[in-house]
Short mmCIF file of all heavy atoms in Angstrom, two decimals:
data_model
loop_
_atom_site.label_atom_id
_atom_site.label_comp_id
_atom_site.label_asym_id
_atom_site.label_seq_id
_atom_site.Cartn_x
_atom_site.Cartn_y
_atom_site.Cartn_z
N MET E 1 22.59 -183.66 -4.32
CA MET E 1 23.70 -183.89 -5.21
C MET E 1 24.69 -182.76 -5.04
O MET E 1 24.31 -181.59 -5.01
CB MET E 1 23.19 -183.93 -6.65
CG MET E 1 24.30 -184.16 -7.66
SD MET E 1 23.67 -184.42 -9.31
CE MET E 1 23.56 -182.75 -9.87
N THR E 2 25.95 -183.09 -4.94
CA THR E 2 27.00 -182.09 -4.77
C THR E 2 28.01 -182.25 -5.89
O THR E 2 28.41 -183.37 -6.21
CB THR E 2 27.71 -182.27 -3.43
OG1 THR E 2 26.75 -182.20 -2.39
CG2 THR E 2 28.76 -181.22 -3.22
N ILE E 3 28.40 -181.12 -6.48
CA ILE E 3 29.42 -181.13 -7.53
C ILE E 3 30.60 -180.32 -7.01
O ILE E 3 30.44 -179.19 -6.57
CB ILE E 3 28.90 -180.50 -8.83
CG1 ILE E 3 27.69 -181.29 -9.33
CG2 ILE E 3 29.98 -180.45 -9.89
CD1 ILE E 3 27.00 -180.67 -10.51
N GLN E 4 31.79 -180.93 -7.04
CA GLN E 4 32.99 -180.23 -6.60
C GLN E 4 33.90 -180.01 -7.79
O GLN E 4 34.06 -180.89 -8.63
CB GLN E 4 33.71 -181.05 -5.53
CG GLN E 4 32.91 -181.18 -4.26
CD GLN E 4 33.66 -181.97 -3.21
OE1 GLN E 4 34.63 -182.66 -3.50
NE2 GLN E 4 33.20 -181.86 -1.98
N PHE E 5 34.50 -178.84 -7.86
CA PHE E 5 35.40 -178.48 -8.94
C PHE E 5 36.81 -178.31 -8.39
O PHE E 5 37.00 -177.93 -7.24
CB PHE E 5 34.94 -177.19 -9.62
CG PHE E 5 33.62 -177.32 -10.31
CD1 PHE E 5 32.45 -176.86 -9.71
CD2 PHE E 5 33.53 -177.90 -11.57
CE1 PHE E 5 31.23 -176.98 -10.34
CE2 PHE E 5 32.31 -178.02 -12.21
CZ PHE E 5 31.16 -177.57 -11.60
N GLU E 6 37.78 -178.56 -9.24
CA GLU E 6 39.18 -178.40 -8.87
C GLU E 6 39.52 -176.93 -8.62
O GLU E 6 40.27 -176.60 -7.73
CB GLU E 6 40.09 -178.94 -9.99
CG GLU E 6 39.95 -180.43 -10.22
CD GLU E 6 40.65 -181.25 -9.17
OE1 GLU E 6 41.67 -180.80 -8.65
OE2 GLU E 6 40.17 -182.35 -8.87
N SER E 7 38.94 -176.05 -9.43
CA SER E 7 39.26 -174.63 -9.30
C SER E 7 38.05 -173.78 -9.66
O SER E 7 37.07 -174.27 -10.22
CB SER E 7 40.42 -174.27 -10.25
OG SER E 7 39.99 -174.41 -11.59
N THR E 8 38.14 -172.51 -9.35
CA THR E 8 37.07 -171.56 -9.70
C THR E 8 36.95 -171.45 -11.21
O THR E 8 35.85 -171.36 -11.75
CB THR E 8 37.37 -170.17 -9.09
OG1 THR E 8 37.57 -170.32 -7.69
CG2 THR E 8 36.24 -169.22 -9.35
N ARG E 9 38.07 -171.49 -11.90
CA ARG E 9 38.06 -171.39 -13.37
C ARG E 9 37.28 -172.55 -13.98
O ARG E 9 36.49 -172.36 -14.91
CB ARG E 9 39.49 -171.38 -13.89
CG ARG E 9 39.56 -171.22 -15.39
CD ARG E 9 40.99 -171.05 -15.86
NE ARG E 9 41.01 -170.84 -17.29
CZ ARG E 9 41.87 -171.39 -18.10
NH1 ARG E 9 42.82 -172.16 -17.64
NH2 ARG E 9 41.80 -171.16 -19.39
N GLU E 10 37.49 -173.74 -13.46
CA GLU E 10 36.76 -174.92 -13.95
C GLU E 10 35.26 -174.76 -13.72
O GLU E 10 34.45 -175.11 -14.57
CB GLU E 10 37.28 -176.18 -13.27
CG GLU E 10 36.63 -177.46 -13.77
CD GLU E 10 37.10 -178.68 -13.00
OE1 GLU E 10 38.05 -178.58 -12.20
OE2 GLU E 10 36.49 -179.75 -13.21
N ALA E 11 34.89 -174.23 -12.56
CA ALA E 11 33.48 -174.01 -12.25
C ALA E 11 32.86 -173.01 -13.21
O ALA E 11 31.74 -173.19 -13.69
CB ALA E 11 33.33 -173.54 -10.81
N ILE E 12 33.57 -171.93 -13.52
CA ILE E 12 33.06 -170.91 -14.44
C ILE E 12 32.90 -171.48 -15.84
O ILE E 12 31.91 -171.24 -16.51
CB ILE E 12 33.99 -169.67 -14.43
CG1 ILE E 12 33.90 -168.97 -13.08
CG2 ILE E 12 33.63 -168.72 -15.56
CD1 ILE E 12 34.95 -167.90 -12.85
N GLN E 13 33.86 -172.26 -16.29
CA GLN E 13 33.78 -172.86 -17.62
C GLN E 13 32.61 -173.84 -17.71
O GLN E 13 31.92 -173.89 -18.72
CB GLN E 13 35.09 -173.57 -17.97
CG GLN E 13 36.22 -172.62 -18.26
CD GLN E 13 37.54 -173.34 -18.49
OE1 GLN E 13 37.71 -174.48 -18.09
NE2 GLN E 13 38.46 -172.66 -19.13
N SER E 14 32.35 -174.60 -16.67
CA SER E 14 31.24 -175.54 -16.67
C SER E 14 29.90 -174.80 -16.69
O SER E 14 28.98 -175.20 -17.37
CB SER E 14 31.30 -176.45 -15.45
OG SER E 14 32.44 -177.26 -15.52
N ALA E 15 29.81 -173.72 -15.94
CA ALA E 15 28.57 -172.93 -15.90
C ALA E 15 28.31 -172.26 -17.24
O ALA E 15 27.17 -172.09 -17.65
CB ALA E 15 28.63 -171.89 -14.79
N ALA E 16 29.36 -171.89 -17.94
CA ALA E 16 29.21 -171.22 -19.23
C ALA E 16 28.65 -172.16 -20.29
O ALA E 16 28.10 -171.71 -21.30
CB ALA E 16 30.54 -170.66 -19.70
N LYS E 17 28.74 -173.47 -20.09
CA LYS E 17 28.26 -174.44 -21.06
C LYS E 17 26.76 -174.69 -20.96
O LYS E 17 26.18 -175.34 -21.81
CB LYS E 17 29.00 -175.76 -20.89
CG LYS E 17 30.47 -175.66 -21.23
CD LYS E 17 31.17 -176.97 -20.97
CE LYS E 17 32.67 -176.82 -21.17
NZ LYS E 17 33.40 -178.03 -20.80
N ILE E 18 26.11 -174.20 -19.90
CA ILE E 18 24.67 -174.41 -19.72
C ILE E 18 23.93 -173.48 -20.67
O ILE E 18 24.06 -172.26 -20.60
CB ILE E 18 24.25 -174.15 -18.26
CG1 ILE E 18 24.98 -175.10 -17.34
CG2 ILE E 18 22.74 -174.25 -18.11
CD1 ILE E 18 24.81 -174.81 -15.87
N VAL E 19 23.15 -174.08 -21.56
CA VAL E 19 22.41 -173.32 -22.56
C VAL E 19 20.92 -173.58 -22.35
O VAL E 19 20.50 -174.73 -22.28
CB VAL E 19 22.82 -173.75 -23.99
CG1 VAL E 19 22.01 -173.02 -25.03
CG2 VAL E 19 24.30 -173.55 -24.20
N PRO E 20 20.12 -172.53 -22.23
CA PRO E 20 18.68 -172.75 -22.04
C PRO E 20 18.05 -173.39 -23.28
O PRO E 20 18.48 -173.14 -24.40
CB PRO E 20 18.12 -171.35 -21.79
CG PRO E 20 19.14 -170.41 -22.31
CD PRO E 20 20.46 -171.12 -22.25
N ILE E 21 17.05 -174.22 -23.07
CA ILE E 21 16.33 -174.86 -24.17
C ILE E 21 15.22 -173.92 -24.61
O ILE E 21 14.41 -173.47 -23.80
CB ILE E 21 15.73 -176.20 -23.71
CG1 ILE E 21 16.85 -177.15 -23.28
CG2 ILE E 21 14.88 -176.83 -24.81
CD1 ILE E 21 16.35 -178.42 -22.64
N MET E 22 15.20 -173.59 -25.90
CA MET E 22 14.16 -172.73 -26.45
C MET E 22 13.02 -173.61 -26.94
O MET E 22 13.24 -174.71 -27.46
CB MET E 22 14.71 -171.89 -27.60
CG MET E 22 15.85 -170.98 -27.17
SD MET E 22 15.43 -169.85 -25.84
CE MET E 22 14.39 -168.70 -26.69
N ALA E 23 11.78 -173.14 -26.76
CA ALA E 23 10.61 -173.92 -27.16
C ALA E 23 9.49 -172.98 -27.59
O ALA E 23 9.51 -171.79 -27.26
CB ALA E 23 10.15 -174.79 -26.00
N CYS E 24 8.54 -173.53 -28.32
CA CYS E 24 7.34 -172.80 -28.73
C CYS E 24 6.12 -173.51 -28.17
O CYS E 24 6.09 -174.74 -28.13
CB CYS E 24 7.23 -172.74 -30.25
SG CYS E 24 8.53 -171.82 -31.03
N VAL E 25 5.13 -172.74 -27.74
CA VAL E 25 3.87 -173.31 -27.28
C VAL E 25 2.72 -172.66 -28.02
O VAL E 25 2.78 -171.50 -28.41
CB VAL E 25 3.67 -173.15 -25.75
CG1 VAL E 25 4.68 -173.96 -24.97
CG2 VAL E 25 3.69 -171.71 -25.33
N SER E 26 1.67 -173.44 -28.24
CA SER E 26 0.44 -172.96 -28.86
C SER E 26 -0.60 -172.81 -27.76
O SER E 26 -0.84 -173.74 -26.99
CB SER E 26 -0.03 -173.96 -29.91
OG SER E 26 -1.30 -173.59 -30.40
N MET E 27 -1.24 -171.64 -27.73
CA MET E 27 -2.23 -171.37 -26.68
C MET E 27 -3.59 -171.09 -27.30
O MET E 27 -4.28 -170.17 -26.93
CB MET E 27 -1.78 -170.17 -25.84
CG MET E 27 -0.44 -170.38 -25.20
SD MET E 27 0.29 -168.86 -24.57
CE MET E 27 0.52 -167.94 -26.07
N GLY E 28 -3.95 -171.87 -28.26
CA GLY E 28 -5.22 -171.68 -28.94
C GLY E 28 -5.03 -171.74 -30.43
O GLY E 28 -3.99 -172.18 -30.93
N LYS E 29 -6.02 -171.28 -31.16
CA LYS E 29 -5.99 -171.40 -32.62
C LYS E 29 -4.93 -170.52 -33.26
O LYS E 29 -4.27 -170.92 -34.21
CB LYS E 29 -7.37 -171.07 -33.18
CG LYS E 29 -7.54 -171.45 -34.62
CD LYS E 29 -8.99 -171.31 -35.05
CE LYS E 29 -9.16 -171.77 -36.48
NZ LYS E 29 -10.55 -171.73 -36.89
N TYR E 30 -4.73 -169.30 -32.75
CA TYR E 30 -3.81 -168.36 -33.39
C TYR E 30 -2.68 -167.87 -32.48
O TYR E 30 -1.73 -167.26 -32.96
CB TYR E 30 -4.57 -167.14 -33.90
CG TYR E 30 -5.62 -167.49 -34.93
CD1 TYR E 30 -6.97 -167.47 -34.61
CD2 TYR E 30 -5.25 -167.88 -36.20
CE1 TYR E 30 -7.93 -167.80 -35.55
CE2 TYR E 30 -6.19 -168.22 -37.15
CZ TYR E 30 -7.54 -168.18 -36.81
OH TYR E 30 -8.48 -168.52 -37.75
N ALA E 31 -2.76 -168.09 -31.20
CA ALA E 31 -1.76 -167.56 -30.27
C ALA E 31 -0.62 -168.54 -30.06
O ALA E 31 -0.83 -169.72 -29.79
CB ALA E 31 -2.41 -167.25 -28.93
N THR E 32 0.61 -168.04 -30.21
CA THR E 32 1.80 -168.84 -29.94
C THR E 32 2.79 -167.99 -29.16
O THR E 32 2.73 -166.76 -29.18
CB THR E 32 2.49 -169.33 -31.24
OG1 THR E 32 2.85 -168.19 -32.02
CG2 THR E 32 1.59 -170.24 -32.04
N ALA E 33 3.69 -168.66 -28.47
CA ALA E 33 4.75 -167.96 -27.74
C ALA E 33 6.04 -168.77 -27.86
O ALA E 33 6.01 -169.99 -27.87
CB ALA E 33 4.37 -167.78 -26.27
N GLN E 34 7.14 -168.06 -27.96
CA GLN E 34 8.45 -168.70 -28.02
C GLN E 34 9.30 -168.15 -26.88
O GLN E 34 9.31 -166.94 -26.62
CB GLN E 34 9.14 -168.40 -29.35
CG GLN E 34 10.53 -168.99 -29.46
CD GLN E 34 11.20 -168.66 -30.78
OE1 GLN E 34 10.65 -167.94 -31.60
NE2 GLN E 34 12.39 -169.17 -30.98
N GLY E 35 10.01 -169.03 -26.20
CA GLY E 35 10.86 -168.59 -25.10
C GLY E 35 11.64 -169.74 -24.51
O GLY E 35 11.70 -170.83 -25.07
N GLU E 36 12.22 -169.48 -23.35
CA GLU E 36 13.01 -170.49 -22.64
C GLU E 36 12.09 -171.49 -21.96
O GLU E 36 11.16 -171.11 -21.25
CB GLU E 36 13.88 -169.79 -21.59
CG GLU E 36 14.75 -170.71 -20.80
CD GLU E 36 15.54 -169.97 -19.74
OE1 GLU E 36 15.64 -168.74 -19.79
OE2 GLU E 36 16.03 -170.65 -18.82
N LEU E 37 12.35 -172.77 -22.17
CA LEU E 37 11.52 -173.82 -21.59
C LEU E 37 11.73 -173.86 -20.07
O LEU E 37 12.85 -173.99 -19.59
CB LEU E 37 11.89 -175.18 -22.20
CG LEU E 37 11.08 -176.37 -21.73
CD1 LEU E 37 9.61 -176.25 -22.15
CD2 LEU E 37 11.66 -177.66 -22.29
N VAL E 38 10.63 -173.73 -19.32
CA VAL E 38 10.68 -173.78 -17.86
C VAL E 38 10.38 -175.20 -17.39
O VAL E 38 11.12 -175.76 -16.59
CB VAL E 38 9.68 -172.77 -17.23
CG1 VAL E 38 9.69 -172.87 -15.72
CG2 VAL E 38 10.00 -171.37 -17.69
N TRP E 39 9.27 -175.77 -17.88
CA TRP E 39 8.93 -177.15 -17.55
C TRP E 39 8.07 -177.73 -18.67
O TRP E 39 7.50 -176.99 -19.46
CB TRP E 39 8.21 -177.29 -16.22
CG TRP E 39 6.94 -176.50 -16.08
CD1 TRP E 39 6.80 -175.29 -15.48
CD2 TRP E 39 5.63 -176.86 -16.54
NE1 TRP E 39 5.50 -174.86 -15.54
CE2 TRP E 39 4.75 -175.81 -16.18
CE3 TRP E 39 5.11 -177.95 -17.21
CZ2 TRP E 39 3.39 -175.84 -16.48
CZ3 TRP E 39 3.74 -177.97 -17.51
CH2 TRP E 39 2.90 -176.93 -17.14
N GLN E 40 8.02 -179.06 -18.73
CA GLN E 40 7.19 -179.76 -19.70
C GLN E 40 6.69 -181.04 -19.08
O GLN E 40 7.44 -181.76 -18.43
CB GLN E 40 7.99 -180.08 -20.96
CG GLN E 40 7.17 -180.82 -21.99
CD GLN E 40 7.92 -181.05 -23.30
OE1 GLN E 40 8.98 -180.49 -23.51
NE2 GLN E 40 7.35 -181.85 -24.16
N LYS E 41 5.42 -181.31 -19.28
CA LYS E 41 4.82 -182.57 -18.82
C LYS E 41 3.93 -183.07 -19.95
O LYS E 41 2.89 -182.48 -20.23
CB LYS E 41 4.02 -182.36 -17.54
CG LYS E 41 3.51 -183.66 -16.96
CD LYS E 41 3.00 -183.48 -15.55
CE LYS E 41 2.62 -184.86 -15.00
NZ LYS E 41 2.23 -184.77 -13.61
N GLY E 42 4.37 -184.12 -20.62
CA GLY E 42 3.64 -184.61 -21.79
C GLY E 42 3.72 -183.58 -22.90
O GLY E 42 4.80 -183.10 -23.24
N ASP E 43 2.56 -183.23 -23.47
CA ASP E 43 2.50 -182.23 -24.54
C ASP E 43 2.42 -180.80 -24.01
O ASP E 43 2.55 -179.85 -24.76
CB ASP E 43 1.29 -182.48 -25.44
CG ASP E 43 1.46 -183.71 -26.30
OD1 ASP E 43 2.61 -184.18 -26.44
OD2 ASP E 43 0.45 -184.21 -26.84
N ILE E 44 2.15 -180.63 -22.72
CA ILE E 44 1.96 -179.30 -22.14
C ILE E 44 3.31 -178.78 -21.65
O ILE E 44 4.08 -179.49 -21.00
CB ILE E 44 0.96 -179.35 -20.96
CG1 ILE E 44 -0.36 -179.98 -21.41
CG2 ILE E 44 0.74 -177.96 -20.39
CD1 ILE E 44 -1.07 -179.23 -22.52
N ALA E 45 3.59 -177.51 -21.96
CA ALA E 45 4.87 -176.91 -21.58
C ALA E 45 4.65 -175.47 -21.13
O ALA E 45 3.66 -174.84 -21.47
CB ALA E 45 5.85 -176.95 -22.74
N CYS E 46 5.62 -174.98 -20.37
CA CYS E 46 5.63 -173.59 -19.93
C CYS E 46 6.91 -172.95 -20.43
O CYS E 46 7.99 -173.50 -20.27
CB CYS E 46 5.56 -173.53 -18.41
SG CYS E 46 5.66 -171.85 -17.73
N VAL E 47 6.78 -171.78 -21.09
CA VAL E 47 7.95 -171.05 -21.57
C VAL E 47 7.98 -169.67 -20.95
O VAL E 47 6.94 -169.09 -20.64
CB VAL E 47 7.99 -170.95 -23.11
CG1 VAL E 47 8.13 -172.30 -23.75
CG2 VAL E 47 6.80 -170.21 -23.66
N ARG E 48 9.19 -169.14 -20.75
CA ARG E 48 9.38 -167.79 -20.23
C ARG E 48 9.86 -166.92 -21.38
O ARG E 48 10.89 -167.17 -21.98
CB ARG E 48 10.40 -167.78 -19.11
CG ARG E 48 10.65 -166.39 -18.52
CD ARG E 48 11.72 -166.40 -17.45
NE ARG E 48 11.42 -167.35 -16.40
CZ ARG E 48 12.26 -168.30 -16.01
NH1 ARG E 48 13.43 -168.44 -16.56
NH2 ARG E 48 11.92 -169.14 -15.06
N ALA E 49 9.08 -165.89 -21.69
CA ALA E 49 9.45 -164.92 -22.72
C ALA E 49 9.47 -163.55 -22.07
O ALA E 49 8.45 -163.08 -21.57
CB ALA E 49 8.44 -164.95 -23.86
N SER E 50 10.64 -162.93 -22.03
CA SER E 50 10.84 -161.66 -21.31
C SER E 50 10.47 -161.87 -19.85
O SER E 50 11.04 -162.71 -19.18
CB SER E 50 10.03 -160.54 -21.95
OG SER E 50 10.46 -160.35 -23.27
N SER E 51 9.47 -161.15 -19.36
CA SER E 51 9.08 -161.31 -17.96
C SER E 51 7.75 -162.05 -17.82
O SER E 51 7.21 -162.14 -16.73
CB SER E 51 8.98 -159.94 -17.30
OG SER E 51 7.99 -159.18 -17.96
N ALA E 52 7.22 -162.58 -18.93
CA ALA E 52 5.94 -163.29 -18.89
C ALA E 52 6.15 -164.79 -19.07
O ALA E 52 7.13 -165.22 -19.66
CB ALA E 52 5.02 -162.77 -19.98
N MET E 53 5.22 -165.58 -18.54
CA MET E 53 5.26 -167.03 -18.69
C MET E 53 3.99 -167.47 -19.42
O MET E 53 2.91 -166.93 -19.15
CB MET E 53 5.39 -167.73 -17.35
CG MET E 53 6.67 -167.39 -16.64
SD MET E 53 6.81 -168.22 -15.08
CE MET E 53 8.02 -169.43 -15.50
N PHE E 54 4.14 -168.42 -20.34
CA PHE E 54 3.02 -168.90 -21.13
C PHE E 54 2.96 -170.42 -21.04
O PHE E 54 3.97 -171.10 -21.14
CB PHE E 54 3.19 -168.50 -22.60
CG PHE E 54 3.29 -167.02 -22.80
CD1 PHE E 54 4.52 -166.40 -22.88
CD2 PHE E 54 2.15 -166.24 -22.90
CE1 PHE E 54 4.63 -165.04 -23.05
CE2 PHE E 54 2.25 -164.87 -23.08
CZ PHE E 54 3.49 -164.26 -23.15
N VAL E 55 1.75 -170.95 -20.85
CA VAL E 55 1.53 -172.40 -20.78
C VAL E 55 0.64 -172.79 -21.94
O VAL E 55 -0.37 -172.14 -22.21
CB VAL E 55 0.87 -172.80 -19.44
CG1 VAL E 55 0.56 -174.29 -19.42
CG2 VAL E 55 1.75 -172.41 -18.28
N GLY E 56 1.04 -173.84 -22.65
CA GLY E 56 0.23 -174.32 -23.76
C GLY E 56 0.81 -175.62 -24.29
O GLY E 56 1.69 -176.24 -23.69
N LYS E 57 0.31 -176.05 -25.46
CA LYS E 57 0.76 -177.28 -26.09
C LYS E 57 2.06 -177.00 -26.82
O LYS E 57 2.14 -176.07 -27.62
CB LYS E 57 -0.29 -177.79 -27.07
CG LYS E 57 0.07 -179.11 -27.68
CD LYS E 57 -1.03 -179.64 -28.57
CE LYS E 57 -0.61 -180.97 -29.16
NZ LYS E 57 -1.62 -181.48 -30.09
N ARG E 58 3.09 -177.78 -26.53
CA ARG E 58 4.40 -177.56 -27.18
C ARG E 58 4.31 -177.93 -28.65
O ARG E 58 3.78 -178.96 -29.03
CB ARG E 58 5.49 -178.38 -26.49
CG ARG E 58 6.85 -178.04 -27.05
CD ARG E 58 7.96 -178.51 -26.19
NE ARG E 58 9.24 -178.13 -26.79
CZ ARG E 58 10.40 -178.57 -26.41
NH1 ARG E 58 10.48 -179.40 -25.40
NH2 ARG E 58 11.50 -178.19 -27.02
N ILE E 59 4.83 -177.04 -29.49
CA ILE E 59 4.84 -177.29 -30.93
C ILE E 59 6.25 -177.29 -31.46
O ILE E 59 7.15 -176.82 -30.82
CB ILE E 59 3.97 -176.28 -31.70
CG1 ILE E 59 4.35 -174.84 -31.34
CG2 ILE E 59 2.51 -176.51 -31.40
CD1 ILE E 59 3.64 -173.79 -32.13
#
């Protein structure tokens, strides 16, 4: 897929509109993590928090 923009300004404005999806995952009875959603398949999701990645059930 290729996206072409009229100008550099238009490209910058379009890129500025991209907002990461925040999500929470449960990794057991008491452990949870909140961060940027990396991927999700069914109820299982992976989030990035700081420099760590956590996989668990999305809540």
